[in-house]
Amino acid sequence: MNQANSPLTDTFGRHHNYLRISLTERCNLRCSYCMPVDGVKLSPAEHLMNADEIYSIAKTFVKFGVDKIRLTGGEPLVRKDFPKIIELLSTLNVDLSITSNAVSIDRHFELLKKTGVKTVNISLDTLNAERFHSITFRNYFDKVYQNILNLLNEGFKVKINAVLMRGVNDDEILDFIAFTKDHPVAFRFIEFMPFDGNQWKREKTVSYLEIMKKIQENYTDDQIIRLQDAPNDTAKNYSIKGYQGTFAIISTVTHPFCDQCNRIRLTANGHLKNCLFSKKENDLLTALRNNQDIESIVRQSVSSKFAVRSGMDAPESFEDPKQHQQNRSMITIGG
Ligand code: SAM
Ligand code: SF4
């Protein structure tokens, strides 16, 4: 389909060729920045997309121009029919990838290889086992750490996502950088973002500039190499001279990258979200079940996308709690 006419091209000329599909609202961790302390009200099972519905919607998006799909959640690997879903999606002509907390990813190495997954994004917010427990409320640090090493041994490209929170794990910035010395991973610092129920406060977000300042105090300008960012990359990428890995900063709060945005999200209950921060959603699953054509719904959703963070143009707009409460919790969006 011609890009200009595609339902995936918005009024600012951004073409959304990258679909993130959330497979579940459930998780085997309870990261404080993602899962509200009291949990979330889960959608009834019959309101969630089944494997064939996921495939059917994904196939339509591929027809519109999607060429990259990332599976996320919740934790995508807790879905019992994960093998069926990824095998179906691997028949589409897309770059297929996954974001996981790595707790059980070792059970799926062969499946991931067979279905063409080359890059995996793993969440790890600390290199300290006790702190891992205090952030995630589970004792899986050793498993996750070992699985990151296993993924590298198995030949996967590994990106590690760490949400930095002031007073929680911001004292580990240099430890994370040191980790890239002998490990060929792409380590990504993510600015803590506000979502429903995650107790966000502006002062808890550690900014891009603060992270860079810390690194610049410990490495010389000659050692810090600014790398070329990939097209549509949300991260600003760097490496330390001589280190095997790289590091990057995803600065959604202080330096948004919305003008480059090519992402669109499908929630586990089949709703389309045109932005991580959008309050409005479009129900594709009900339309599919009613045998309605979803093209006009997709077109309407994409064409109503705001220029910046669903209308939260300035950083101050985050201060208004209503902005986050009208959005979902991250666990039910799919990052
Ligand atoms: N369970 C998988 C995982 O943790 O990688 C996939 C789902 S998780 C919601 C996807 C990504 O969202 C993770 O990298 C996580 O760190 C990020 N995330 C969740 N809540 C966030 C927040 N409040 N601010 C920034 N990133 C967040
Ligand atoms: Fe689960 Fe991922 Fe959210 Fe942590 S960030 S609670 S691992 S979905």
Side-chain angles (χ1 to χ4, degrees):
M1 185 179 277
N2 176 318
Q3 199 167 303
N5 298 331
S6 164
L8 297 178
T9 302
D10 74 5
T11 52
F12 302 95
R14 296 173 296 197
H15 183 59
H16 298 79
N17 62 319
Y18 181 178
L19 177 67
R20 294 207 172 175
I21 307 179
S22 172
L23 300 187
T24 177
E25 299 167 350
R26 293 174 186 274
C27 190
N28 40 8
L29 299 184
R30 304 186 76 78
C31 307
S32 57
Y33 51 79
C34 176
M35 172 85 94
V37 263
D38 298 327
V40 284
K41 194 165 176 286
L42 295 171
S43 301
E46 65 274 18
H47 291 188
L48 300 181
M49 298 182 290
N50 66 35
D52 294 321
E53 288 165 338
I54 292 171
Y55 174 67
S56 173
I57 295 177
K59 199 166 144 196
T60 307
F61 273 84
V62 171
K63 193 179 84 190
F64 297 155
V66 159
D67 57 13
K68 183 167 177 184
I69 293 180
R70 172 175 296 282
L71 302 180
T72 179
E75 172 52 34
L77 300 180
V78 303
R79 235 183 110 142
K80 293 214 167 48
D81 57 352
F82 174 76
K84 177 176 177 187
I85 295 168
I86 196 160
E87 279 182 7
L88 283 170
L89 294 177
S90 72
T91 64
L92 300 172
N93 189 18
V94 291
D95 169 1
L96 195 55
S97 55
I98 178 173
T99 301
S100 165
N101 59 30
V103 168
S104 62
I105 203 161
D106 49 320
R107 284 194 236 143
H108 300 284
F109 287 157
E110 289 318 310
L111 176 69
L112 294 176
K113 284 183 198 168
K114 187 174 133 204
T115 51
V117 173
K118 296 194 171 52
T119 306
V120 290
N121 288 16
I122 303 298
S123 288
L124 180 68
D125 309 299
T126 175
L127 294 170
N128 173 301
E130 267 175 46
R131 188 174 279 177
F132 183 93
H133 183 269
S134 69
I135 296 173
T136 68
F137 296 94
R138 296 290 181 271
N139 267 327
Y140 287 133
F141 175 79
D142 291 343
K143 217 163 180 208
V144 170
Y145 190 88
Q146 187 54 49
N147 271 344
I148 289 174
L149 303 182
N150 293 341
L151 280 161
L152 291 171
N153 285 337
E154 293 286 332
F156 290 99
K157 224 177 128 203
V158 179
K159 295 185 182 178
I160 301 181
N161 295 332
V163 178
L164 275 191
M165 291 162 290
R166 196 178 313 284
V168 176
N169 59 352
D170 57 330
D171 57 347
E172 291 191 65
I173 294 173
L174 296 177
D175 297 337
F176 292 139
I177 299 288
F179 184 81
T180 67
K181 185 172 184 204
D182 298 320
H183 299 97
V185 297
F187 208 103
R188 293 137 41 104
F189 299 102
I190 307 183
E191 287 182 349
F192 179 32
M193 295 182 274
F195 295 100
D196 189 33
N198 76 352
Q199 320 278 322
W200 183 85
K201 287 201 182 69
R202 183 151 172 73
E203 54 274 21
K204 285 196 203 165
T205 297
V206 185
S207 72
Y208 168 51
L209 294 178
E210 288 174 275
I211 298 167
M212 282 312 295
K213 186 164 174 274
K214 185 83 195 164
I215 297 167
Q216 281 157 346
E217 282 166 5
N218 286 273
Y219 294 93
T220 63
D221 288 352
D222 279 355
Q223 287 175 296
I224 304 172
I225 303 166
R226 179 74 169 97
L227 303 171
Q228 177 81 45
D229 302 328
N232 306 108
D233 202 341
T234 53
K236 297 171 185 66
N237 293 274
Y238 297 83
S239 69
I240 300 293
K241 205 187 240 169
Y243 284 18
Q244 291 188 42
T246 61
F247 71 92
I249 302 169
I250 301 181
S251 54
T252 317
V253 177
T254 65
H255 292 75
F257 29 78
C258 306
D259 55 335
Q260 294 282 318
C261 185
N262 65 340
R263 292 153 171 76
I264 189 147
R265 292 177 160 80
L266 186 61
T267 61
N269 66 340
H271 288 202
L272 194 60
K273 275 178 88 71
N274 64 18
C275 172
L276 200 47
F277 299 106
S278 62
K279 291 154 209 99
K280 262 189 69 184
E281 302 177 356
N282 294 76
D283 182 357
L284 296 188
L285 181 58
T286 303
L288 180 82
R289 288 181 179 175
N290 292 337
N291 289 319
Q292 274 172 261
D293 181 15
I294 63 171
E295 176 166 345
S296 59
I297 307 176
V298 174
R299 196 177 286 282
Q300 205 246 320
S301 168
V302 172
S303 65
S304 66
K305 178 159 170 159
F306 283 84
V308 175
R309 287 184 306 221
S310 204
M312 293 193 285
D313 302 24
E316 302 77 60
S317 29
F318 279 127
E319 308 290 349
D320 176 5
K322 276 207 289 300
Q323 300 279 357
H324 332 137
Q325 284 154 6
Q326 286 165 19
N327 193 2
R328 294 171 175 236
S329 300
M330 183 55 138
I331 182 95
T332 63
I333 299 177

